Amino acid sequence: MKILAIETSCDETSVAVVEDGRKVLSNQIYSQIDIHKLYGGVVPEIASRNHLEKISQIVDSGLAEASLTFDDIDAIAVTYGPGLVGALLVGVNYAKTLAYALNKPLIAVHHIVGHIFSALTEYPDLKPPFICLVASGGHTQLVVVEDYHSLNVIGKTRDDAVGEAYDKVARTLGLPYPGGPQIDALAKTGDGSAIHFKRTYLEKDGYDFSFSGIKSGVLNYINQQRQKKLPINAADVAASFQEAVIDVLVDKSLMALQKYKMDTLVLAGGVAANSRLRERLMTAAKIKAFNCYAPSLKLCTDNAVMIGCAAYYTGDVTKSVDLALNAVPSLKL
Ligand code: KG4
Ligand code: ZN
């Protein structure tokens, strides 16, 4: 079963061919980051226009990389939400057109479900049940994955997503968009215990997150230092912010593993690319004897491989969804 998958929910135009949910035959990602960088964040209208300009070319490259033609493809998969509506619509309409013209089944995939299963193509033995920590620019969730069709969100952010907090703190420090990788790199030269930022745990036994407080904490610290004409060590700020955020992510993930009696944690989403988060979780996994899987960096940020994988495991590859399929920008899990 060869699935041609399309992902255009934000600022990456991506096309992949995935065989039987696990084997990556191609993975094409065109990132618009350099364009949006000029504006300090993703501009939705510009994202849609660029998807539109690139989509045909990326589909062709996805097939060429796999040395396949449309005839070899068994089904088309596409992200239909959540995401930016104009950006999603480009992928959804392209996929619908392909499915109709080629008379192949269309599979609609939830973007976050894609992230949750993104590591499957790299770890042949990985399968549910597991707990997934989804940490991206738009979402922060703890999900109990009982099997491919039973996903239960036990905790989510009540305000900013963790990636959003990284991006906002980076902007405060004058770093370019996207800020996550910048903070990651800068923190390596700083001292994570130099400044104490308050960790927000909300209810003691709960799994919800809140990251708006720490964002304001960093801003207040910088303003106070400026008022007092004291120096600001950006590397220490980055490292201390990162340590505070990661403390909460690690603690809540471990609590969930214990409570739900699971021994496998899967990390997913753009922030899963963070070197310190990966290191802290891998260390905890060694000490507490649980398995921890994180996709390679290329599969952490948005990509179509995860959509092809999720389509195979969670969609119905034998029959098409209705071609009246629409983009759903705030699709819930
Ligand atoms: O999953 P993703 O590509 O898009 C969404 O679905 O949101 O995640 C993008 C987010 C951005 O906020 C970006 O700053 C963050 O992931 N990110 C990182 C790192 N790489 C990307 N955050 C921390 N450390 C990184 N190395
Ligand atoms: Zn994403």
Side-chain angles (χ1 to χ4, degrees):
M1 170 66 59
K2 296 186 187 72
I3 298 179
L4 178 91
I6 298 177
E7 154 66 43
T8 64
S9 67
C10 192
D11 58 346
E12 266 95 24
T13 318
S14 182
V15 173
V17 180
V18 180
E19 188 173 357
D20 296 335
R22 297 267 178 175
K23 193 169 172 200
V24 181
L25 302 184
S26 65
N27 180 18
Q28 292 287 317
I29 304 174
Y30 164 69
S31 173
Q32 304 175 4
I33 280 180
D34 286 344
I35 300 166
H36 297 286
K37 220 176 224 169
L38 304 171
Y39 308 94
V42 177
V43 183
E45 175 65 18
I46 295 176
S48 324
R49 282 172 190 272
N50 278 280
H51 284 307
L52 208 51
E53 275 177 25
K54 287 283 172 189
I55 185 85
S56 292
Q57 187 189 324
I58 306 294
V59 168
D60 288 348
S61 309
L63 283 172
E65 188 193 343
S67 304
L68 299 172
T69 69
F70 281 127
D71 288 344
D72 305 310
I73 298 297
D74 298 296
I76 312 291
V78 67
T79 306
Y80 76 111
L84 302 170
V85 68
L88 287 165
L89 276 170
V90 176
V92 167
N93 283 316
Y94 205 93
K96 290 200 302 189
T97 309
L98 275 184
Y100 180 68
L102 302 170
N103 195 24
K104 314 248 177 193
L106 177 67
I107 305 164
V109 179
H110 190 298
H111 180 77
I112 299 301
V113 175
H115 274 303
I116 290 172
F117 293 118
S118 55
L120 261 61
T121 54
E122 297 180 318
Y123 300 96
D125 298 331
L126 175 60
K127 56 179 189 306
F130 57 75
I131 302 250
C132 184
L133 171 63
V134 183
S136 77
H139 294 80
T140 307
Q141 297 179 329
L142 271 168
V143 185
V144 176
V145 184
E146 293 282 359
D147 63 51
Y148 294 113
H149 298 279
S150 167
L151 284 73
N152 179 20
V153 179
I154 55 166
K156 58 182 186 311
T157 181
R158 295 196 189 157
D159 39 56
D160 288 354
V162 63
E164 210 177 336
Y166 264 91
D167 293 341
K168 286 179 181 167
V169 164
R171 195 191 295 200
T172 307
L173 290 172
L175 302 168
Y177 175 85
Q182 304 281 336
I183 298 261
D184 191 351
L186 185 61
K188 288 192 167 76
T189 60
D191 174 3
S193 59
I195 308 151
H196 182 80
F197 292 121
K198 191 171 175 287
R199 279 83 171 139
T200 307
Y201 282 91
L202 301 172
E203 296 82 24
K204 199 168 151 283
D205 303 330
Y207 301 100
D208 275 359
F209 300 97
S210 167
F211 296 108
S212 65
I214 182 146
K215 186 190 65 189
S216 311
V218 174
L219 196 65
N220 290 342
Y221 170 82
I222 290 174
N223 286 339
Q224 278 167 14
Q225 294 294 101
R226 279 189 187 136
Q227 272 168 7
K228 293 179 196 158
K229 299 199 170 10
L230 292 171
I232 298 163
N233 184 326
D236 284 351
V237 174
S240 301
F241 156 78
Q242 183 166 266
E243 225 48 45
V245 162
I246 293 176
D247 273 352
V248 179
L249 292 174
V250 171
D251 290 348
K252 296 221 176 215
S253 301
L254 295 188
M255 201 168 81
L257 283 170
Q258 209 170 15
K259 167 84 193 298
Y260 288 86
K261 298 187 175 24
M262 297 230 180
D263 63 0
T264 304
L265 181 73
V266 174
L267 195 52
V271 183
N274 184 267
S275 60
R276 183 68 179 145
L277 176 61
R278 294 166 82 97
E279 181 186 309
R280 289 273 309 270
L281 280 174
M282 294 301 170
T283 309
K286 260 194 199 142
I287 297 168
K288 306 250 176 198
F290 63 88
N291 307 306
C292 184
Y293 296 89
S296 61
L297 301 192
K298 203 174 176 189
L299 294 191
C300 288
T301 42
D302 292 346
N303 65 86
V305 166
M306 66 187 197
I307 303 306
C309 175
Y312 180 82
Y313 284 105
T314 66
D316 184 348
V317 290
T318 60
K319 73 175 199 312
S320 188
V321 297
D322 192 333
L323 289 188
L325 176 74
N326 206 349
V328 185
S330 48
L331 187 64
K332 296 275 174 299
L333 195 61

